[in-house]
Amino acid sequence: MALAVMLSLCPLHSCDSGPSLSHRLMFDAGSQFILQWTADIPKKMLRLCATAQCSEHQYISLGFGGGYKMQDMDMVAAFLEEDGTAVTRTYYSETPVGFPTGRPTMEIRNVSQVFDNGTAHLCFTRPFHTGHHPIQDGTFVSWAIGSLWDDDMDDHGMQRGTQKVQFLSARAGSEL
């Protein structure tokens, strides 16, 4: 089960649609998968933007929680359908492999995405407390770039990785 999210397309390089983001983390140099974020602690909101090199026939995704495998992860994925419609969906993965089939409970807002000239940009805001895993320091974050199959994600042949992120205590302006 996936929750489709209404989104607005934004001009290239303006997907952060708001104040500049405070932190930057390179997940993968080969695909240039970069995560940027700002934590608004008083409002308990996290603004995130992911950028990666990929084709318009691939998806990019972020997962939160769980651990080093996809089991027990709140996920956000962005891709283009065959007709060019931009789609962002939330998922919950209950198993370490295969398509995520759990009931998603993570809320995302202010979604924007662009696929342009081999680069995907996905930005959204997430309240700290939504999903199966609230945002905290040391949250496991998984990233992936994969193929599409019948207008949805295919988990075969993807690039992916996982690492812990200090969302709340990273120094402002840090590049990790």
Side-chain angles (χ1 to χ4, degrees):
M1 173 188 219
L3 174 65
V5 177
M6 296 300 293
L7 57 103
S8 61
L9 293 178
C10 57
L12 188 60
H13 304 301
S14 68
C15 268
D16 60 355
S17 61
S20 63
L21 301 174
S22 302
H23 311 286
R24 182 177 192 269
L25 177 62
M26 173 76 74
F27 279 137
D28 181 64
S31 65
Q32 293 292 303
F33 202 113
I34 298 169
L35 178 67
Q36 297 180 72
W37 76 92
T38 295
D40 185 335
I41 294 173
K43 292 182 181 178
K44 298 185 177 176
M45 300 290 277
L46 184 67
R47 180 71 178 159
L48 301 119
C49 290
T51 303
Q53 293 177 352
C54 69
S55 80
E56 292 180 356
H57 305 289
Q58 293 180 300
Y59 67 87
I60 63 170
S61 68
L62 292 171
F64 304 90
Y68 284 103
K69 298 215 176 204
M70 293 306 292
Q71 185 169 0
D72 193 27
M73 284 270 181
D74 294 308
M75 300 170 62
V76 178
F79 57 90
L80 293 177
E81 292 182 331
E82 285 183 28
D83 67 1
T85 302
V87 176
T88 300
R89 291 189 179 141
T90 58
Y91 298 90
Y92 177 64
S93 179
E94 295 178 309
T95 60
V97 296
F99 192 82
T101 58
R103 184 175 158 268
T105 59
M106 180 174 55
E107 177 185 331
I108 60 174
R109 304 173 184 168
N110 306 317
V111 177
S112 59
Q113 96 182 57
V114 170
F115 284 80
D116 187 59
N117 292 325
T119 302
H121 304 271
L122 168 64
C123 297
F124 59 92
T125 301
R126 175 190 170 173
F128 288 176
H129 65 279
T130 67
H132 296 86
H133 299 281
I135 292 297
Q136 58 188 0
D137 275 345
T139 296
F140 281 100
V141 177
S142 290
W143 62 272
I145 301 169
S147 300
L148 295 174
W149 179 259
D150 197 25
D151 280 341
D152 221 328
M153 299 185 316
D154 182 8
D155 68 340
H156 294 88
M158 71 170 108
Q159 297 172 274
R160 61 181 165 199
T162 303
Q163 82 182 64
K164 285 185 176 183
V165 177
Q166 303 299 337
F167 281 120
L168 306 178
S169 66
R171 291 186 333 269
S174 63
E175 182 162 334
L176 307 170

